[in-house]
Amino acid sequence: MRGLVVRWLVSAIALYLTSLIVRGIEIQSVAALVFAAVTIGVLNAVVVPLILLLTACRQILTLASSRWW
């Protein structure tokens, strides 16, 4: 749980710094910043394991085929 909060904080800081550097990105309020950081955190928590699961077969096949060469 602590690691998740740290990741959300890092995401929020990165979003804030990005809004300072990139012209097209504007943060209207702290609540919007926190919402965006939580959204990114949840997407990372769901998408990354899903991608790892979907690519597991490819990784196993690549490992198996490289052994035969």
Side-chain angles (χ1 to χ4, degrees):
M1 184 68 174
R2 183 177 172 194
L4 185 62
V5 172
V6 170
R7 288 182 186 180
W8 282 346
L9 278 171
V10 169
S11 293
I13 292 168
L15 284 170
Y16 177 71
L17 292 175
T18 302
S19 72
L20 293 176
I21 296 170
V22 180
R23 284 189 190 166
I25 299 175
E26 294 180 8
I27 307 249
Q28 300 297 326
S29 66
V30 175
L33 179 66
V34 171
F35 178 75
V38 169
T39 303
I40 289 173
V42 169
L43 285 175
N44 282 333
V46 172
V47 172
V48 170
L50 184 64
I51 289 174
L52 289 175
L53 182 67
L54 292 174
T55 60
C57 293
R58 182 174 179 243
Q59 292 173 357
I60 291 170
L61 289 173
T62 303
L63 180 63
S65 66
S66 66
R67 187 173 181 183
W68 297 106
W69 292 101

